[in-house]
């Protein structure tokens, strides 16, 4: 369909060059949003886009838009993007590949002299990670209308610094209003952050959507007692009850195999002393499935199982739902463009559902959207050891380019 | 057998008066060993014993001995005692009842004019709790030959302060050598620190020994992975494996009911983040039974179950034994003296095994020994809410007196 190709080594060079901004000894990146390191990479990104003939604008929440003119400037833009901020001990690719892969797309277009019908906007979203200011994906969320600008500006980090002040401090509070103007389509290239593509030996994942997710905080109340003098039958052991519930979470997920996920990642135990029967155990539960109905069913099962365990074990139970992110199906036309672009480029692809949330999940509210996944070693992400190959980066950017060119004709 | 009786209200007044030294707002005591609060209660104790005509000596580790003359000073002393130090948020009775109950015995003897055949020594052991300097029962242990004096002097607390320096600082390094001279018998009155006497509605427990105990540290190694993108079948979830093992510990103890105890009191989980499959979980196991053979069998079962769980769940397993305290049977003659003294005084008693260790466990190495338990509300101990009644305190001290008088005739 097109002979335009990504310059893989230039993309890789960009990835390695920007990895210096916040680079860690272990080869990862610590580049929390709205820090000096974030400013450095933003400056670099703006300059790189400008060199490619783009006009860079910044909105009132610091989201950056690099615009390349189209044949018909009255058409809504085709957009692509991701984020340049990282986790405190993040890797070199999570988010960054989507932005610099987009830059590689702009470069390929520029070098080939191809002008698309639609204008193109490459977006660097502020604070996708949510590590410094919670929640994650706050600024694509605001763009899509999920949060107000003021809400975001008034968030504080754990040091008490206000988002708006941090934004001013790095000089990235722009003039462009932070709201979705009509958008023709949105594509986001990202590492999978999971092991499936690698296990299935596929280079490209055509992401059909983001699974539904619910989070709970669970508190079990028992009675602290001396481990050496309290008969087993007279105990109210909060940790033992929690342990049984942790097993139940796994059982429930496995009962809805293969797509259901159930995780207890965090546990806190009191008084947490070797010879004291625990009096209070707190843990989180993370339930996910691409079908919201199944997520709801899993919650029902969880509530029933937990209640029965608490009654049997003589402990109190409090379940607090703390997050409910409904499943986000992507636009089937955009997903097909990703699959087709992969096939055309000769890459083995597969349909895949995203576990983590992404800026694309908010963009799907305001534009036809899809994502492109490439494998990452051992599924490792949010980790300084996060790793992909140059060939994988290049493949992902080629599919991003191919999907964009398809959308340019279709929309 | 004797008309001598404890003055219960004087004993209660002593308990309440000394509770001021380190007294907390919640009605408990914070009186860590070798602190200023410990010095105050030691001074009070020495003065009280001296007023009753006793001679107080202090050994090189700060153990205090209040000696009342006997008819035959060539006989080895009958001894009794416990400790005046407390946990950081301790109660008013753990240890203290044994020392002040002994003081009440001395007062009853003094007021009745009764002179025993043997001399009597009431002992306040240094650092029973082990909260400041580890391990617990260090100074009765040294007295019984389990530790050398130098080992104890060179222990450091978490602030880096040496035991010997702390002992000098409060002026309680004595001249008396810290080693067991011949001892006729040792009796220790203590709160049960468990719920059994209360549940069984008995005033007195005649303690037949201290159960055997083994402690383990267990480390499970999994692989951290994103909770949203790692299929259940591809996970190595350290916490899920640990949870299954925690259930197994309880199962193993229940399989050796009613005397076996199995507890997981402490757990630490890494990275301990809601949306990350845990990569490393650490927990402790506390196994107890009055029969060392059963404790050994429980360990075998634990090792087999844990190994099978680790293999099934694809995690690594490391079990580190960190403490093995063999069961300590007390002297059957001394136990009978406690039962008989209870019966004579008209108290319902029962044989009971001590879960926690006590100074008496070391004293049993060098003298015929037994303990007397009284109930404590809800089995609560190591807690500012620890509670007993004046009647229970008086009952326990009367049985201590009765057992001592029996031993005075028998040994």
């Amino acid at each position: 369909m097109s002979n335009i190709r990504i310059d893989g080594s230039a993309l890789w060079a960009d990835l390695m060059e920007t990895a210096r901004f916040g680079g860690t000894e272990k080869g990862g990146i610590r580049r929390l949003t709205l820090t000096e390191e974030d400013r450095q990479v933003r400056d670099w990104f703006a300059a790189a886009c400008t060199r490619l003939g783009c006009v860079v604008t910044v909105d009132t929440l610091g989201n950056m838009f690099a615009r390349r003119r189209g044949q018909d400037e009255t058409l809504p833009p085709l957009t692509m993007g991701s984020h340049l901020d990282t986790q405190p001990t993040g890797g070199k690719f999570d988010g960054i590949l989507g932005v610099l892969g987009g830059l590689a797309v702009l470069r390929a277009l520029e070098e080939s002299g191809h002008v698309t019908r639609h204008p193109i906007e490459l977006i660097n979203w502020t604070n996708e990670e949510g590590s410094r200011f919670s929640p994650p994906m706050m600024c694509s969320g605001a763009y899509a209308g999920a949060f107000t600008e003021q809400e975001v500006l008034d968030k504080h980090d754990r040091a008490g610094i206000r988002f708006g002040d941090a934004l001013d401090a790095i000089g990235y509070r722009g003039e462009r209003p932070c709201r979705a103007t009509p958008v023709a389509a949105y594509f986001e290239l990202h590492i999978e952050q999971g092991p499936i593509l690698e296990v299935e030996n596929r280079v490209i994942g055509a992401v059909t959507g983001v699974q539904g997710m619910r989070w709970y905080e669970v508190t079990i109340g028992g009675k602290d007692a001396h481990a050496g003098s309290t008969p087993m039958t007279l105990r109210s052991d909060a940790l033992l009850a929690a342990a049984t519930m942790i097993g139940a979470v796994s059982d429930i997920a496995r009962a809805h195999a293969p797509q259901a996920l159930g995780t207890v990642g965090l546990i806190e135990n009191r008084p947490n002393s070797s010879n004291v029967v625990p009096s209070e155990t707190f843990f989180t539960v993370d339930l996910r499935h691409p079908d919201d109905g199944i997520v709801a069913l899993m919650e029902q099962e969880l509530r029933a199982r937990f209640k029965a365990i608490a009654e049997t074990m003589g402990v109190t139970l409090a379940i607090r739902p703390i997050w409910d992110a409904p499943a986000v199906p992507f636009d089937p036309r955009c997903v097909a463009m990703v699959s087709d672009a992969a096939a055309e480029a000769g890459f083995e692809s597969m349909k895949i559902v995203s576990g983590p949330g992404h800026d694309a999940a908010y963009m799907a509210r305001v534009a036809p959207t899809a994502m492109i996944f490439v494998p990452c070693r051992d599924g490792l992400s949010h980790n300084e050891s996060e790793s992909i190959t140059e060939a994988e980066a290049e493949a992902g950017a080629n599919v991003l380019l191919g999907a964009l060119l398809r959308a340019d004709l279709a929309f």
Side-chain angles (χ1 to χ4, degrees), chain A:
Chain A
M1 183 172 152
S2 143
N3 291 321
I4 311 174
R5 286 287 172 276
I6 292 296
D7 179 346
S9 49
L11 167 55
W12 195 254
D14 287 349
L15 286 163
M16 296 305 119
E17 185 178 349
T18 54
R20 289 181 300 124
F21 304 122
T24 65
E25 277 184 22
K26 291 185 183 166
I29 302 182
R30 177 187 173 83
R31 194 160 66 211
L32 297 177
T33 194
L34 308 189
T35 56
E36 171 60 16
E37 293 77 22
D38 188 18
R39 185 195 62 73
Q40 289 169 352
V41 78
R42 285 166 175 267
D43 289 354
W44 182 97
F45 174 65
C49 293
T50 305
R51 275 197 302 276
L52 289 173
C54 296
V55 174
V56 176
T57 55
V58 179
D59 75 13
T60 49
L61 293 180
N63 295 319
M64 300 173 69
F65 302 78
R67 185 181 176 101
R68 183 171 191 265
R69 291 184 63 88
Q71 294 171 24
D72 184 349
E73 279 288 306
T74 66
L75 289 176
L78 290 169
T79 63
M80 56 186 171
S82 196
H83 59 97
L84 292 171
D85 70 323
T86 77
Q87 291 275 327
T89 53
K92 290 193 288 287
F93 306 100
D94 170 4
I96 304 160
L97 178 64
V99 179
L100 300 189
L103 186 68
V105 167
L106 295 177
R107 184 183 295 119
L109 292 172
E110 193 61 19
E111 292 181 351
S112 72
H114 181 83
V115 179
T116 49
R117 289 174 57 234
H118 301 73
I120 294 177
E121 287 188 352
L122 169 59
I123 309 172
N124 171 34
W125 299 107
T126 301
N127 188 35
E128 192 274 345
E129 293 292 359
S131 303
R132 182 176 176 193
F133 298 97
S134 190
M137 303 172 277
M138 213 160 57
C139 297
S140 54
Y143 181 85
F147 311 108
T148 67
E149 181 185 315
Q150 201 57 46
E151 266 180 282
V152 173
L153 289 171
D154 288 339
K155 295 282 179 187
H156 287 75
D157 67 11
R158 276 184 287 265
I161 300 172
R162 194 174 155 268
F163 181 100
D165 296 338
L167 188 57
D168 285 335
I170 67 161
Y172 269 90
R173 194 199 293 244
E175 309 260 303
R176 175 174 169 150
C178 179
R179 61 169 173 270
T181 44
V183 170
Y186 177 76
F187 291 96
E188 182 165 351
L189 168 62
H190 208 281
I191 61 171
E192 180 196 341
Q193 303 184 280
I196 297 172
L197 292 176
E198 189 173 50
V199 167
E200 301 285 338
N201 202 24
R202 308 294 173 100
V203 181
I204 296 292
V207 186
T208 57
V210 178
Q211 63 193 343
M213 169 171 57
R214 296 189 188 185
W215 280 12
Y216 311 87
E217 290 179 349
V218 182
T219 306
I220 307 299
K223 198 171 116 188
D224 59 0
H226 199 296
S229 56
T230 313
M232 299 305 286
T233 49
L234 295 180
R235 297 181 175 198
S236 297
D237 185 331
L239 177 58
L240 180 61
T244 312
M245 293 176 194
I246 290 168
V249 168
S250 173
D251 293 344
I252 290 166
R254 284 163 186 272
H256 297 279
Q259 293 193 289
L261 300 175
T263 308
V264 176
L266 186 150
I267 188 168
E268 288 172 1
N269 184 53
R270 295 190 183 85
N272 215 34
S273 174
S274 304
N275 60 349
V276 182
V277 176
S279 58
E280 187 180 301
T281 306
F282 171 94
F283 61 96
T284 57
V285 179
D286 173 319
L287 298 181
R288 308 194 194 204
H289 195 279
D291 178 340
D292 283 332
I294 304 286
V295 180
L297 183 59
M298 290 167 72
E299 173 173 327
Q300 273 180 28
E301 291 168 358
L302 179 144
R303 288 184 179 277
R305 291 281 297 272
F306 280 21
K307 185 159 176 280
I309 292 165
E311 282 170 4
T312 305
M313 298 207 162
V315 296
T316 63
L317 166 68
I319 301 177
R320 195 162 77 94
I322 57 164
W323 198 11
D324 180 353
V328 177
F330 288 151
D331 186 283
R333 295 167 299 172
C334 292
V335 177
M337 290 171 195
V338 171
S339 295
D340 293 348
E344 189 197 24
F347 301 125
E348 295 275 352
S349 76
M350 65 181 283
K351 297 270 174 59
I352 190 171
V353 174
S354 178
H358 290 287
D359 293 308
Y362 282 123
M363 283 302 281
R365 298 189 181 189
V366 295
T369 292
M371 291 185 74
I372 301 144
F373 275 177
V374 293
C376 53
R377 276 311 74 60
D378 299 326
L380 216 60
S381 183
H382 288 191
N383 191 304
E384 291 166 279
S385 308
E386 198 178 80
S387 165
I388 70 172
T389 65
E390 181 176 325
E392 287 162 342
E394 182 179 332
N398 268 314
V399 174
L400 176 62
L401 170 62
L404 205 75
L405 291 177
R406 277 175 162 71
D408 190 39
L409 299 182
F411 292 119

